[in-house]
Amino acid sequence: MKEYIINAPQLQSLQKRAGALFVWAVCWVMWVYLLIPLVTLSSWVLGDRKMINEMRWFGGYKSLLELMQIYVVTLLVMVALWLCWISYRKFRSRAMLPSAHKIVNDTELCAFYQVKADELQQCRNMPMITVYFDDHGHIVHLDPHIDR
């Protein structure tokens, strides 16, 4: 199978890498936070003596129901925060649409991306093209798929 996704983390900014690491850590903490009570509950239901004694120590079935209410409220708060974050990002992306400050002609475009003008025009006329990149994200070759 051909790899169509450009996997080049070195091209990401430090802020994006740190943000991705932070989101990864938060997701794992939330996963563990929600998984531990399920392990405890399943051990108690399956009859583990240590868990039965622990449940008696912490107040038994009523304490479990109170704890489950806390977990449900926590989960609902996390979902509400997530939905607020999504709506904020959607509103922000609509409000901050980039405006075109400068109209770029074909020669400037070719100079910036280091491609030839005839290759650019040929690729514009094709329904499908393949763009090859080097390790630094610069365009190496354009394949316009003429014969297909």
Side-chain angles (χ1 to χ4, degrees):
M1 182 175 151
K2 294 181 182 178
E3 187 175 337
Y4 290 110
I5 297 175
I6 301 170
N7 188 10
Q10 70 272 13
L11 298 177
Q12 292 180 342
S13 68
L14 183 62
Q15 182 181 7
K16 284 189 179 184
R17 287 188 204 175
L21 182 65
F22 177 73
V23 168
W24 175 81
V26 166
C27 288
W28 273 108
V29 167
M30 287 178 6
W31 175 252
V32 169
Y33 176 78
L34 294 173
L35 190 64
I36 288 174
L38 294 176
V39 171
T40 305
L41 179 65
S42 61
S43 296
W44 178 59
V45 168
L46 292 174
D48 186 9
R49 293 290 176 204
K50 183 179 176 190
M51 286 297 162
I52 289 174
N53 290 335
E54 192 171 324
M55 287 302 294
R56 285 186 195 144
W57 177 263
F58 286 116
Y61 186 71
K62 290 184 181 181
S63 176
L64 177 67
L65 289 179
E66 291 173 5
L67 190 61
M68 294 288 271
Q69 287 176 349
I70 293 170
Y71 282 121
V72 167
V73 169
T74 304
L75 188 61
L76 290 175
V77 167
M78 288 178 4
V79 167
L81 288 174
W82 180 65
L83 290 173
C84 288
W85 176 253
I86 288 174
S87 57
Y88 167 74
R89 295 286 299 196
K90 195 171 203 175
F91 175 74
R92 184 174 171 205
S93 67
R94 285 185 185 168
M96 299 187 128
L97 289 175
S99 60
H101 295 285
K102 181 180 176 186
I103 297 174
V104 181
N105 59 20
D106 287 349
T107 56
E108 292 172 343
L109 192 65
C110 290
F112 182 78
Y113 288 109
Q114 298 173 353
V115 295
K116 296 175 186 164
D118 57 338
E119 285 181 348
L120 177 66
Q121 194 59 38
Q122 189 178 22
C123 289
R124 279 186 177 161
N125 297 331
M126 292 296 129
M128 184 172 83
I129 64 168
T130 303
V131 180
Y132 296 96
F133 296 94
D134 64 3
D135 291 338
H136 301 289
H138 299 118
I139 296 174
V140 176
H141 178 67
L142 297 172
D143 186 10
H145 301 284
I146 296 173
D147 56 332
R148 294 179 190 166

